[in-house]
Amino acid sequence: MATIYQVSELAGVSLATVSRVINNTVPVREATRLKVEAAMQELGYRPNSVAQSLASNRSNSIGIVVSELGGPFYGELLSRIENEFRAAGKHVIIAAGHSNADLERDSIEFLRSRNCDALILHVEAVDDAYLVELAESGLPFVLINRMVAGIEERCITLDNEQGGYLATEYMLQQGHRDIAYISGPLWKHDAQERYNGHQKALAKFGIGENKALFYEGDFQETGGVNGFNHLREQGHTFTALVCANDEMASGAITAVHEAGLDIPEQVAVIGFDNINFSHYTHPKLTTIDYPVAEIGQMAARWVLKRVYQRPIEDLQALFIPQLIVRDST
Amino acid sequence: MATIYQVSELAGVSLATVSRVINNTVPVREATRLKVEAAMQELGYRPNSVAQSLASNRSNSIGIVVSELGGPFYGELLSRIENEFRAAGKHVIIAAGHSNADLERDSIEFLRSRNCDALILHVEAVDDAYLVELAESGLPFVLINRMVAGIEERCITLDNEQGGYLATEYMLQQGHRDIAYISGPLWKHDAQERYNGHQKALAKFGIGENKALFYEGDFQETGGVNGFNHLREQGHTFTALVCANDEMASGAITAVHEAGLDIPEQVAVIGFDNINFSHYTHPKLTTIDYPVAEIGQMAARWVLKRVYQRPIEDLQALFIPQLIVRDST
DNA sequence: GCTATAAATGAAAGCGCTTTCATCATAGGC
DNA sequence: GCCTATGATGAAAGCGCTTTCATTTATAGC
């Protein structure tokens, strides 16, 4: 691999000038630039990014922590983020936190030790205090899908409560009054907020809460299966089932079929997230759209603007979910 | 951030000794090691990985190119690879090739300029010659799901032909004789191989090929829908439908339902890959298992052994697919 | 106790680049 | 044509670490 020194020698200029041509920082005379470019061409020169990082104290890499690498939700998120940074000549280093506080902290430390210029975090388990402290340490990062007091300007969120409200409100508008709810783990912020929305909608229609119609699942498919079965065993009939995400809705649909019931005639089902496969279910799943691609893009642009001083205007911090009506309601 | 110099000063030893403690290369006297460790602790020292990379000419990063970041297949693959490397203190840089030759080449160049120690490639569009040349350039890489002559020792593959064979053979064993086939794009190696397997199974049962029962899809869900509709229009009836991947099978299932036909009574459907959602379909999809997690892990271990000299024994290059029988056949 | 050998440590030269500061060249103002 | 302001270029000092080679210290053998 050719080095900048060889280029400078071949072009008959100093290292500094070659560096200037590469980085386009200080103006270089046209004739000089051409000489240098020709030399780079001839040697097949490509800058050593590690050396650049060391000298400039910029690694041009952005660390990402998500709960899982697999799955449609994170796939879409990562895809969009990578795209955005790639176009800017940055690269992403990805680590999985598995919704576990220790692993999340580990991941963050790991990325930090990799000299990332910034972090994009979708963490669920670490507590607010840790994040506030992290912010104070001077490391730039943006938080996805979580609002933490004290560092609001770093948070990009979906209005989960509004989404939960929309889902249940729609069921109510369709005439349902006995509405069961399968929640995510309530220690997760988004699960709690979606559930709040559900309660709000019920309250608006003057319906009290019924513990027999609530089940706390795990955001997984099996949680949906177990949830539906559990709810039926409670003996309280219901004609509508609101699930806090699509995975659980899918599981619930399977369980409903197995119970010999028809969807939506006997039980209407709604999910949340609008992940890719949600139209693979049968019947196709009505759900709340989570604009994951937009949010991913926004997080990337946040970093581009704040850390790399790119001129970006329209930073948006709060996203509003939308109802997607399909065949399961 | 503390530097190695400060540590050496506080511990009263030289830079070199601190470096030895960090890297555990040359033995250091117990007493000295303890002094150094205490100093590192006190300063909250963490080595600067960029400087390490520059000095050692090792970036401890591995580049990965996959077609897409989203989707269950790549998610699982990436997840496994990341896991394996993380445990080894390495990190991965991920780029998407989008099944497009230019983008694939771009991605590879990009990763290369990032000084990756090795690459793991799941590329479909670049030609064999390019890969052979890349190998000659000295950059270590391993190729997933593709066998290229001349660099066989870098290839980790699934026996796609065997998988295609298994799928169709199963249909034949179930008594089907009119079997339609929805293929992936035949320019993709795996699509071609799976189709070869299909033809082999037919031949074994003495059944000739019928062009009216073949459709070349795109490995996407819509390809399955279009494929089924196209096949029906050909007028040649069939009782079984073999799809070259699960996505298309899922689309086909939707189309079959829409045509008012029952699965598997009127049309049996089989997929390929056994991706996560294949049991979300209704009825649950019979398919061929693609051991994506194992393959990802193996690719990572290949790198660990060949590039980082880790003592790893059981490198496996060829994987054999298996039939997973569910309810769609 | 002294030398021969091995083990532990230190000094210093890079790794390939960026960036500051000084220098040189060019052009404009009078 | 001389002086100054400005733009372009070069010299050289790092960035924080690894690694070679030399040196010092410990261990063993007699």
Side-chain angles (χ1 to χ4, degrees), chain A:
Chain A
M1 205 66 239
T3 70
I4 197 174
Y5 181 76
Q6 293 165 25
V7 174
S8 79
E9 209 168 32
L10 181 62
V13 299
S14 72
L15 295 190
T17 303
V18 178
S19 174
R20 285 173 190 128
V21 171
I22 294 170
N23 297 296
N24 208 17
T25 44
V26 167
V28 170
R29 200 153 35 110
E30 191 59 18
T32 321
R33 143 167 292 115
L34 290 176
K35 268 196 304 186
V36 172
E37 278 167 353
M40 295 202 297
Q41 186 79 36
E42 187 175 337
L43 292 170
Y45 171 77
R46 261 193 331 245
N48 178 326
S49 64
V50 173
Q52 287 182 311
S53 297
L54 183 61
S56 65
N57 203 23
R58 271 281 158 81
S59 68
N60 285 316
S61 67
I62 295 94
I64 322 253
V65 179
V66 289
S67 294
E68 307 294 337
L69 290 184
F73 182 86
Y74 294 112
E76 179 83 15
L77 182 70
L78 293 175
S79 177
R80 199 52 172 268
I81 294 176
E82 193 261 348
N83 241 294
E84 200 76 14
F85 282 130
R86 175 84 169 282
K90 318 286 175 199
H91 75 256
V92 299
I93 301 180
I94 300 174
H98 298 291
S99 304
N100 171 89
D102 286 340
L103 285 176
E104 287 181 357
R105 254 191 299 261
D106 264 14
S107 297
I108 292 173
E109 282 306 307
F110 176 76
L111 294 171
R112 206 180 198 187
S113 80
R114 289 287 168 188
N115 295 76
C116 292
D117 295 336
L119 262 38
I120 295 181
L121 305 177
H122 186 294
V123 289
E124 312 181 290
V126 293
D127 55 30
D128 287 8
Y130 173 79
L131 292 167
V132 172
E133 200 176 306
L134 188 65
E136 283 164 358
S137 82
L139 179 69
F141 66 87
V142 48
L143 213 50
I144 288 181
N145 195 36
R146 178 161 168 182
M147 177 54 72
V148 172
I151 52 171
E152 290 84 356
E153 74 288 356
R154 295 168 179 244
C155 301
I156 297 183
T157 54
L158 178 77
D159 192 336
N160 278 298
E161 182 171 319
Q162 174 67 9
Y165 179 86
L166 278 179
T168 299
E169 180 193 42
Y170 178 68
M171 289 297 198
L172 290 161
Q173 285 169 347
Q174 296 294 103
H176 296 284
R177 286 301 175 268
D178 296 300
I179 302 176
Y181 189 83
I182 300 184
S183 168
L186 288 177
W187 62 266
K188 294 195 180 185
H189 302 69
D190 47 1
Q192 180 66 55
E193 288 158 17
R194 290 174 187 188
Y195 182 51
N196 292 348
H198 166 72
Q199 292 178 306
K200 241 174 144 172
L202 288 181
K204 188 186 162 203
F205 279 70
I207 299 179
E209 207 185 337
N210 182 344
K211 272 292 167 198
L213 291 180
F214 174 83
Y215 178 84
E216 183 174 339
D218 56 3
F219 273 153
Q220 317 264 351
E221 205 201 352
T222 49
V225 175
N226 298 338
F228 176 75
N229 293 333
H230 172 87
L231 291 167
R232 280 202 89 202
E233 284 163 12
Q234 299 302 301
H236 199 107
T237 58
F238 51 90
T239 59
L241 177 59
V242 178
C243 299
N245 79 346
D246 287 351
E247 258 107 341
M248 294 196 299
S250 165
I253 284 177
T254 306
V256 172
H257 281 140
E258 272 163 14
L261 266 40
D262 284 338
I263 301 173
E265 291 77 10
Q266 295 175 277
V267 185
V269 179
I270 189 168
F272 200 123
D273 281 350
N274 192 27
I275 59 181
N276 279 334
F277 78 72
S278 59
H279 54 285
Y280 292 167
T281 60
H282 183 77
K284 295 182 178 179
L285 186 64
T286 293
T287 190
I288 302 292
D289 184 51
Y290 188 122
V292 54
E294 283 78 5
I295 288 188
Q297 185 183 40
M298 195 52 66
R301 305 177 117 230
W302 189 98
V303 170
L304 252 17
K305 181 184 171 91
R306 297 286 161 76
V307 179
Y308 298 111
Q309 281 78 44
R310 297 291 168 97
I312 287 172
E313 298 286 315
D314 51 340
L315 249 35
Q316 181 184 350
L318 183 66
F319 287 76
I320 304 299
Q322 284 195 300
L323 178 71
I324 309 283
V325 177
R326 297 209 186 89
D327 310 329
S328 68
T329 50

Side-chain angles (χ1 to χ4, degrees), chain B residues 13-14 16-17 20 27-29 32 54-55:
Chain B
V13 299
S14 72
T17 303
R20 285 171 192 128
V28 170
R29 198 149 42 105
T32 321
L54 182 61

Side-chain angles (χ1 to χ4, degrees), chain B residues 58-294:
Chain B
R58 271 281 159 78
S59 68
N60 286 316
S61 67
I62 296 94
I64 321 252
V65 180
V66 289
S67 296
E68 306 295 338
L69 289 184
F73 183 87
Y74 295 111
E76 179 82 16
L77 182 71
L78 294 174
S79 176
R80 200 53 172 267
I81 294 176
E82 192 259 349
N83 241 296
E84 200 75 14
F85 282 129
R86 175 86 169 282
K90 317 287 176 200
H91 75 255
V92 299
I93 301 180
I94 299 174
H98 298 292
S99 305
N100 170 89
D102 286 341
L103 284 177
E104 287 181 355
R105 253 192 299 264
D106 264 14
S107 297
I108 292 173
E109 282 306 309
F110 176 75
L111 293 171
R112 207 180 197 186
S113 80
R114 289 287 169 187
N115 295 76
C116 291
D117 296 334
L119 261 39
I120 294 181
L121 306 178
H122 186 294
V123 290
E124 311 183 291
V126 294
D127 55 30
D128 287 8
Y130 173 79
L131 292 168
V132 172
E133 199 176 306
L134 188 65
E136 282 163 359
S137 82
L139 179 68
F141 67 87
V142 49
L143 213 51
I144 288 180
N145 196 34
R146 177 160 170 184
M147 176 56 70
V148 172
I151 53 170
E152 291 85 356
E153 75 288 356
R154 294 167 180 249
C155 301
I156 296 181
T157 55
L158 180 76
D159 192 337
N160 277 298
E161 182 170 319
Q162 173 66 9
Y165 179 84
L166 277 178
T168 301
E169 182 193 41
Y170 178 68
M171 290 296 199
L172 289 161
Q173 285 170 347
Q174 297 293 103
H176 296 285
R177 286 301 175 268
D178 295 300
I179 304 176
Y181 190 84
I182 299 183
S183 169
L186 288 176
W187 64 265
K188 293 194 181 186
H189 301 71
D190 47 0
Q192 180 65 55
E193 288 159 17
R194 290 173 187 188
Y195 182 50
N196 291 348
H198 167 71
Q199 291 176 306
K200 242 175 144 171
L202 288 181
K204 189 187 162 202
F205 279 70
I207 300 178
E209 208 186 336
N210 183 343
K211 273 292 169 199
L213 293 180
F214 175 84
Y215 177 82
E216 183 173 340
D218 56 1
F219 272 153
Q220 316 262 358
E221 205 200 351
T222 48
V225 175
N226 299 339
F228 177 77
N229 293 332
H230 172 87
L231 290 167
R232 282 203 86 199
E233 285 164 10
Q234 300 302 301
H236 197 107
T237 57
F238 51 90
T239 60
L241 177 59
V242 178
C243 299
N245 77 348
D246 288 350
E247 257 107 342
M248 294 195 301
S250 166
I253 284 177
T254 305
V256 172
H257 281 141
E258 272 164 14
L261 267 38
D262 284 336
I263 301 174
E265 292 77 9
Q266 295 175 277
V267 185
V269 179
I270 189 170
F272 200 123
D273 281 348
N274 191 28
I275 58 182
N276 279 334
F277 78 70
S278 59
H279 55 284
Y280 292 168
T281 62
H282 184 75
K284 294 182 178 178
L285 186 63
T286 292
T287 190
I288 302 291
D289 183 52
Y290 189 121
V292 54
E294 282 79 5

